[in-house]
Amino acid sequence: MLMLVDCSNCRTPLQLPPGAAAIRCAVCKSITRVGDPRPNPPAPPPANRPAASSLNGHYYPPPAAPPQYYGYAPRPGPPAPTAHHRKKAVIVGVSYRYSRHELKGTINDAKCMKYLLINRFKFPESSILMLTEEEVDPYKIPTIHNIRMAMFWLVQGCQPGDSLVFHYSGHGSQMRNYTGDEVDGFDETLCPLDFETRGMIVDDEINAAIVRPLPSGVKLHGIIDSCHSGTMLDLPFLCRMDRTGRYVWEDHRPRTGTWKGTSGGEVISFSGCDDDQTSADTSALAKVTSTGAMTFSFIQAVERGQVSNPTYGSILNAMRSTIRNADDEIGGGVVTTLVTMLLTGGSAGIGKRQEPQLSANEPFDVYAKPFSL
């Protein structure tokens, strides 16, 4: 069984492999030895990379309700200094290179999202953690362990006024739910690079890691470009919108009494499709290069919005129109050019069309609430 220990320098929880006497932190690179209470000095950063502490300016203790990773909870650190209006993002792009699951557009999605956050929404580059197969740092490869640690880093020490973003482009799947907390009877899952040997990340874990810990005054946006992604953050409410733009909020709160909301913060998620749909990895939209249809349509809606002050409703409608129009022009090509989702055994050309979704921890007027990151 894997053992969880705190980094002796920054207090990030680390999964210690069986029999290991020491482990290097994925965030600050310092080495923690099991049973050694003495703190270790942080490792010097490589010459071509900023110091690890510049990723978020300071190291902070876990939030008041730290995420539970299947029974493990990180120990609280020292009191956090006051900090407000920080922007932090985790961007994950998984291409599954050289495998039967390979996707062509996910790393392009990650790069485009990073560019958007830096240039449009003024996120400091040092506060964006990129996980792709192109990264040289082994702790930034999108494995299940690294994605889990990145999610913890994203919410660690968040303060009122902070704006957080979690973007994922890669495969998504479903598995049967046996706890009764899913309306449709299925859990949604993200598929890390090593999912075939290490398993998938279930929506319950994502919710526990980055949704439930959020305190009042903190805002998180999920942008999930994968198959079966409608409720990937397991949020309590889903905006069910028809083609005319009329909508109702569906109540997805579990009947089992499990709380899937926040600790007072705000979470809003855009996703590539409904839970029973697949998402496209295609060159039909960008023409020149492959992209995820959802990521492309989201960036288009934000950058070229039909309105000067976009709302969540106008962005969702613009995303759906972009995909629907391209799909109509090429006779369903956006869907049929999808790399077939081998995980579920389904065919990309069969089933419902891809329709981006919006979910949230609390209902709101989607045409009145301004969009902001």
Side-chain angles (χ1 to χ4, degrees):
M1 179 182 293
L2 291 175
M3 174 183 176
L4 203 74
V5 299
D6 286 349
C7 171
S8 58
N9 180 59
C10 70
R11 311 300 294 175
T12 295
L14 308 173
Q15 290 184 352
L16 188 71
I23 187 170
R24 183 183 295 275
C25 178
V27 177
C28 72
K29 302 299 182 292
S30 64
I31 296 175
T32 298
R33 294 176 176 81
V34 179
D36 185 355
R38 296 171 300 174
N40 294 308
N48 60 345
R49 231 170 82 240
S53 61
S54 66
L55 287 173
N56 60 352
H58 300 280
Y59 288 116
Y60 300 100
Q68 301 278 339
Y69 291 115
Y70 296 105
Y72 298 110
R75 294 191 300 274
T82 302
H84 300 287
H85 306 296
R86 292 178 305 159
K87 295 190 174 189
K88 295 172 65 178
V90 167
I91 298 177
V92 182
V94 196
S95 68
Y96 315 92
R97 193 172 295 168
Y98 310 123
S99 78
R100 65 191 180 123
H101 307 297
E102 185 168 2
L103 294 172
K104 302 295 185 183
T106 52
I107 294 180
N108 290 331
D109 290 343
K111 292 177 179 178
C112 290
M113 185 58 62
K114 180 179 179 180
Y115 183 89
L116 178 76
L117 293 182
I118 292 173
N119 292 279
R120 178 65 183 267
F121 296 104
K122 308 307 177 186
F123 276 63
E125 185 170 5
S126 60
S127 74
I128 299 176
L129 187 56
M130 289 275 286
L131 275 65
T132 74
E133 287 132 287
E134 290 188 350
E135 297 295 323
V136 176
D137 187 338
Y139 296 104
K140 294 182 180 179
I141 302 299
T143 63
I144 188 169
H145 172 78
N146 289 347
I147 293 175
R148 282 172 172 166
M149 293 299 100
M151 288 193 297
F152 178 80
W153 171 83
L154 181 63
V155 301
Q156 185 183 29
C158 55
Q159 300 287 324
D162 289 355
S163 175
L164 315 177
V165 171
F166 178 75
H167 173 254
Y168 172 89
S169 181
H171 278 309
S173 188
Q174 289 181 307
M175 61 173 58
R176 179 70 65 181
N177 171 266
Y178 295 99
T179 61
D181 66 347
E182 291 285 348
V183 173
D184 60 358
F186 287 92
D187 283 313
E188 284 63 53
T189 61
L190 299 181
C191 302
L193 180 61
D194 54 352
F195 74 92
E196 291 184 294
T197 57
R198 297 292 183 179
M200 297 179 282
I201 301 177
V202 183
D203 54 8
D204 296 306
E205 181 181 355
I206 300 170
N207 185 276
I210 62 176
V211 174
R212 271 182 268 174
L214 288 190
S216 179
V218 178
K219 179 170 58 178
L220 167 69
H221 283 86
I223 304 167
I224 312 297
D225 193 347
S226 73
C227 297
H228 311 293
S229 55
T231 61
M232 191 65 79
L233 267 61
D234 232 5
L235 297 173
F237 298 95
L238 177 71
C239 179
R240 186 65 69 188
M241 182 179 287
D242 63 19
R243 283 200 169 201
T244 68
R246 292 179 301 179
Y247 72 93
V248 294
W249 285 99
E250 284 185 354
D251 189 343
H252 282 243
R253 287 175 292 185
R255 303 299 181 257
T256 58
T258 304
W259 174 241
K260 295 298 183 75
T262 70
S263 296
E266 180 181 25
V267 181
I268 300 173
S269 178
F270 287 98
S271 52
C273 61
D274 208 349
D275 285 342
D276 62 348
Q277 296 175 340
T278 53
S279 290
D281 179 52
T282 178
S283 59
L285 292 171
K287 308 299 182 184
V288 177
T289 185
S290 292
T291 65
M294 181 272 178
T295 300
F296 179 87
S297 64
F298 174 79
I299 293 175
Q300 287 280 86
V302 172
E303 290 282 26
R304 303 182 183 177
Q306 285 83 356
V307 291
S308 57
N309 296 306
T311 63
Y312 288 89
S314 68
I315 287 179
L316 183 61
N317 272 311
M319 291 171 64
R320 289 184 166 199
S321 295
T322 297
I323 293 176
R324 187 184 303 129
N325 293 341
D327 197 27
D328 290 340
E329 286 177 12
I330 56 181
V334 170
V335 174
T336 56
T337 53
L338 170 70
V339 176
T340 302
M341 188 57 184
L342 299 174
L343 302 174
T344 59
S347 170
I350 299 175
K352 298 182 179 180
R353 283 182 174 180
Q354 174 179 353
E355 294 179 318
Q357 302 293 323
L358 179 72
S359 59
N361 67 303
E362 295 288 351
F364 59 89
D365 185 341
V366 300
Y367 293 116
K369 188 177 181 68
F371 171 76
S372 64
L373 291 181

